[in-house]
Amino acid sequence: MKSLARSLSKSHVGAGCSRGSSWSCSPTSPCRSSLRSALRIFFSQPSTEHEVVSNPSAQDVEQGSKDTVDEINAGRDEQEPKSDKFKREEEIKEEEKTSKSSKNTQQLVVFALGGLIGNVWHDFSDVIVPLYLTSRRFNGEVQFLITDLKPWWVEKYSVILKKLSRYEIIDFDSDKEFRCYPRALVGLRSHRDFGILPDLPPEGYTMLDFRLFIREAYSLPKDVPISYRDKPEKKPRLMLINRGKTRRLLNVEEVAKSAEELGFEVMVIEPKRDLNVTEFAKAVDSCDVLMGVHGAGLTNIVFLRTNATLIQVVPYGKLESMAEGFYSWPAREMKLRDVEYSIGAEETTLLEKFGEITL
């Protein structure tokens, strides 16, 4: 506990202180898609971003053969050339049919919502950060076509999705309309787990850019450290995220008390999956420090301000490399401070369950 207190004191700031695999595309793996054998998406010019490859199934081949036979039979049964008037009537019908299709000038991005979505770390690492990398450059002139769409997920992150695209989202699995686009990108671009590498295409984007984008999307205040200069009586605020089941702090009250003794105002939070992201983002923004055991809840550092601090409690079991890669590195890339506190063998409840452990 004394070591943890020292870690807490280091963070004193202010006045005192990436699924359904049908759609997958990355720089290291080819795009693959079932594409329903006739994707129902028409491009007025070929895309040079990614080549879309469709491998038809045996059923597709059989259906294609049947269609070919039907076309041949229809050709055999065709009557004598029709009159000009009749031809014009046919042309009008065809034009009316074509006019019912949707012709668009915006870009199209096609991706899936699957895998481990619902876990906030996976929401950001597997979908939101890659979607930002793929679509931010279009400045809203992009439309999302989503397969395996989960309405609850779209609603939860609607603020981010609307910031990236000014168009309605299309549910690929239920959409019946023919749509025309000048260009389509199939799959999302990803650099690494919960991270952006500025040297990889599209070049120039950083995790700091991403955090500032998130702040703008949720209309958070100006990105400057919280000032206590004019309010010396105000205490810096620490949000302590307590996990409900695994990797939880059994002495959370004692930890909170230690933080209060160091001069913090402490908020103990146990985030739920159905939380209101907009309201929670405002709560995190009001804090100087976000603290918790290594886990998905620490993903909420995206709502902190520049120079705020992440305190990550690393469970016993040589998990420091995971802690570094999943949260500490992204925190530093977002211009946040990070402190790690590693649980010792004498502090873990694993001793009670398995006896003495040597690692």
Side-chain angles (χ1 to χ4, degrees):
M1 182 53 63
K2 291 181 180 179
S3 299
L4 180 55
R6 286 196 295 272
S7 295
L8 284 168
S9 64
K10 288 182 184 179
S11 67
H12 225 152
V13 295
C17 358
S18 162
R19 127 186 17 182
S21 58
S22 294
W23 305 94
S24 63
C25 207
S26 73
T28 58
S29 63
C31 300
R32 294 188 301 173
S33 167
S34 59
L35 292 184
R36 294 190 183 179
S37 78
L39 186 57
R40 297 208 318 271
I41 307 169
F42 296 86
F43 313 110
S44 60
Q45 63 186 40
S47 169
T48 58
E49 182 74 12
H50 296 299
E51 181 181 0
V52 179
V53 180
S54 179
N55 297 317
S57 64
Q59 183 179 357
D60 294 331
V61 173
E62 181 181 351
Q63 181 62 40
S65 301
K66 181 179 182 300
D67 293 342
T68 302
V69 172
D70 291 341
E71 289 172 7
I72 293 173
N73 290 334
R76 289 174 177 170
D77 297 335
E78 189 174 34
Q79 299 177 358
E80 292 297 318
K82 303 176 178 64
S83 67
D84 291 340
K85 180 180 179 181
F86 189 89
K87 287 181 179 179
R88 181 55 187 156
E89 289 175 351
E90 291 285 294
E91 290 173 358
I92 291 173
K93 289 179 182 179
E94 188 63 28
E95 288 173 0
E96 289 177 349
K97 185 186 298 184
T98 303
S99 67
K100 293 179 181 179
S101 66
S102 175
K103 297 180 180 179
N104 305 282
T105 59
Q106 70 273 18
Q107 305 290 320
L108 181 71
V109 171
V110 186
F111 64 98
L113 285 180
L116 298 174
I117 63 166
N119 173 295
V120 65
W121 186 86
H122 286 284
D123 290 343
F124 276 84
S125 181
D126 299 351
V127 182
I128 297 174
V129 173
L131 186 60
Y132 169 83
L133 271 176
T134 304
S135 59
R136 180 58 174 164
R137 54 186 155 147
F138 300 123
N139 295 317
E141 285 299 316
V142 61
Q143 190 164 22
F144 301 142
L145 176 64
I146 305 177
T147 185
D148 295 332
L149 186 146
K150 307 294 189 295
W152 61 266
W153 194 95
V154 171
E155 175 62 27
K156 181 175 182 178
Y157 295 108
S158 60
V159 171
I160 297 174
L161 296 172
K162 290 177 181 178
K163 186 68 176 176
L164 288 171
S165 169
R166 57 176 59 100
Y167 298 92
E168 67 172 341
I169 292 173
I170 305 168
D171 183 351
F172 178 69
D173 302 310
S174 63
D175 184 58
K176 305 298 182 183
E177 188 172 348
F178 285 83
R179 301 176 183 274
C180 303
Y181 294 88
R183 191 181 186 193
L185 304 180
V186 180
L188 301 179
R189 185 181 295 276
S190 179
H191 291 170
R192 53 157 288 158
D193 288 331
F194 193 33
I196 296 173
L197 302 176
D199 293 336
L200 294 183
E203 296 178 6
Y205 288 105
T206 67
M207 282 301 285
L208 175 60
D209 295 328
F210 176 74
R211 182 174 63 81
L212 295 178
F213 163 79
I214 292 295
R215 294 187 63 81
E216 183 179 353
Y218 285 97
S219 301
L220 297 177
K222 187 176 179 180
D223 184 48
V224 295
I226 300 171
S227 175
Y228 299 91
R229 184 173 300 174
D230 300 328
K231 299 178 180 179
E233 74 285 355
K234 186 177 179 180
K235 297 180 179 181
R237 180 175 290 182
L238 180 149
M239 177 179 287
L240 176 54
I241 294 182
N242 191 36
R243 296 170 60 93
K245 296 181 179 179
T246 60
R247 280 179 274 152
R248 67 186 187 276
L249 293 171
L250 297 181
N251 60 337
V252 63
E253 295 84 3
E254 184 181 350
V255 173
K257 184 178 179 181
S258 295
E260 290 172 347
E261 291 173 352
L262 289 168
F264 285 101
E265 174 189 348
V266 179
M267 301 169 55
V268 179
I269 302 290
E270 186 176 321
K272 304 296 183 182
R273 178 171 292 192
D274 60 350
L275 61 76
N276 183 305
V277 180
T278 299
E279 294 304 316
F280 194 67
K282 293 177 180 177
V284 176
D285 168 71
S286 71
C287 295
D288 304 275
V289 180
L290 187 146
M291 176 182 176
V293 178
H294 172 82
L298 300 186
T299 311
N300 291 291
I301 58 177
V302 296
F303 303 121
L304 289 173
R305 303 187 185 197
T306 293
N307 289 333
T309 301
L310 164 68
I311 300 180
Q312 181 176 190
V313 179
V314 184
Y316 181 69
K318 294 187 176 180
L319 298 179
E320 283 74 14
S321 61
M322 293 179 64
E324 165 66 22
F326 287 5
Y327 297 107
S328 295
W329 181 88
R332 294 193 299 272
E333 290 293 303
M334 289 187 278
K335 304 302 180 186
L336 305 174
R337 303 172 183 176
D338 78 284
V339 177
E340 289 184 12
Y341 174 80
S342 295
I343 295 295
E346 70 283 357
E347 297 174 293
T348 178
T349 54
L350 292 176
L351 283 175
E352 301 173 4
K353 188 172 184 178
F354 299 108
E356 188 174 346
I357 304 172
T358 302
L359 292 177

